[in-house]
Amino acid sequence: MTLEDMERPDEAIPSSSAESLSSPGNAEQAIDESSDVDGDFADLQKMLSQRRRAAKDSPEARLLKALPCIKKFSPLVRPLTISDLKSAIALENAAFPNPDHRASPEKLEYRLSVCPELSLGVFVTLVPEQAKALGIATLETANPVESGRVDGAVSVLLAHIVSTRCRGATITDDDMDYPKEWRDRSQRSGQPLGHYEAGKTVGVHSLAVLPLLQRCGMGQLIMRSFLDQMGGCGLVDKVALICQEHLVAYYQRLGFQHLGESKAQFGGGGWHDMVYDLSRHRKPSI
């Protein structure tokens, strides 16, 4: 039975099988063939039903259901800039119910000013009038796609990663902090806190996804893109992050190695160190 037959169940049993059933001289043969066909048909119908259910519950299907105002998901993935600060703050507040686990507006401003190249955002173009009822936390802070556009379309932040370079191979509380006088460039060098320009490990301080789009594959999309970006630049060796215990397996599936409990006490502690080796992203030199 072909895939075409599977898609047309009313035509799945050939007419020859029905004719055999009506012929007494071929009763034994007819019964055997009917049983085989019925069994094959049931198995194929079950497989087709499973495929349909899987398609309906796929990450892309869930995403399109969450964003019914778009017909096809065509995201723009790019580094964040300081012009995205308001959206980054709105996303951080929406994604982390526990305020202690959020990056503060001051930290986000610092990181997007000092090392914006170590950040990444997933954006999608939406028309505010069509999307206003969806409860998208970053819609009001979104920047226009282009000035004077009739429909007022904006570029909406759906997920982001914000990072700095670390002094060691794992993230510490000093890495997650920031120098309060950072706007004074003369005070930046030699600071024991925040971004360390010579560091060979990138520390991810925030991976945030809009609650509306969680379980839609957005986290994997942005993390894999970020790992490709960091591996391609050739300037750093590792990507590190800290996560709660229930997320250890999630990051392991993305290729991170679990190094055990972290010494970082940010937000009350209870974190685990995860490290990704970027050497797998590098092409061997010829």
Side-chain angles (χ1 to χ4, degrees), residues 25 46 68 82 117 147 183 255 279:
K46 182 178 179 181
I82 194 62
E117 73 281 0
S147 59
R183 289 183 178 81
S279 62

Side-chain angles (χ1 to χ4, degrees), residues 12-24 26 29-31 33-34 37-38:
I13 301 178
S15 58
S16 58
S17 296
E19 290 171 357
S20 299
L21 283 168
S22 63
S23 171
N26 293 328
Q29 181 181 358
I31 292 172
E33 288 182 357
S34 173
V37 170
D38 287 346

Side-chain angles (χ1 to χ4, degrees), residues 105-151:
E106 294 78 16
K107 286 183 177 179
L108 289 171
E109 182 182 6
Y110 164 73
R111 292 163 184 165
L112 295 186
S113 298
V114 174
C115 49
E117 73 281 0
L118 300 179
S119 67
L120 204 64
V122 177
F123 296 81
V124 68
T125 298
L126 296 176
V127 176
E129 186 64 27
Q130 298 174 358
K132 64 182 181 180
L134 299 178
I136 300 174
T138 52
L139 183 62
E140 290 187 4
T141 57
N143 295 318
V145 173
E146 55 185 296
S147 59
R149 183 156 167 167
V150 176
D151 60 6

Side-chain angles (χ1 to χ4, degrees), residues 119-243:
S119 67
L120 204 64
V122 177
F123 296 81
V124 68
T125 298
L126 296 176
V127 176
E129 186 64 27
Q130 298 174 358
K132 64 182 181 180
L134 299 178
I136 300 174
T138 52
L139 183 62
E140 290 187 4
T141 57
N143 295 318
V145 173
E146 55 185 296
S147 59
R149 183 156 167 167
V150 176
D151 60 6
V154 291
S155 184
V156 179
L157 180 63
L158 307 181
H160 74 211
I161 286 178
V162 181
S163 311
T164 63
R165 288 201 199 185
C166 303
R167 287 160 179 76
T170 58
I171 294 178
T172 66
D173 285 321
D174 285 347
D175 293 320
M176 300 194 71
D177 207 340
Y178 73 105
K180 304 305 182 285
E181 304 299 327
W182 65 269
R183 289 183 178 81
D184 183 352
R185 291 181 177 273
S186 65
Q187 299 294 319
R188 290 186 187 178
S189 61
Q191 284 282 351
L193 305 177
H195 177 64
Y196 180 56
E197 189 63 33
K200 290 296 184 180
T201 297
V202 171
V204 174
H205 302 302
S206 177
L207 192 169
V209 178
L210 283 174
L212 178 71
L213 299 179
Q214 291 173 5
R215 292 190 70 251
C216 293
M218 193 66 62
Q220 291 191 40
L221 168 66
I222 192 169
M223 179 55 79
R224 294 188 189 283
S225 298
F226 184 75
L227 294 174
D228 286 342
Q229 176 181 309
M230 293 298 101
C233 76
L235 300 176
V236 291
D237 299 326
K238 294 178 174 64
V239 172
L241 57 84
I242 57 175
C243 70

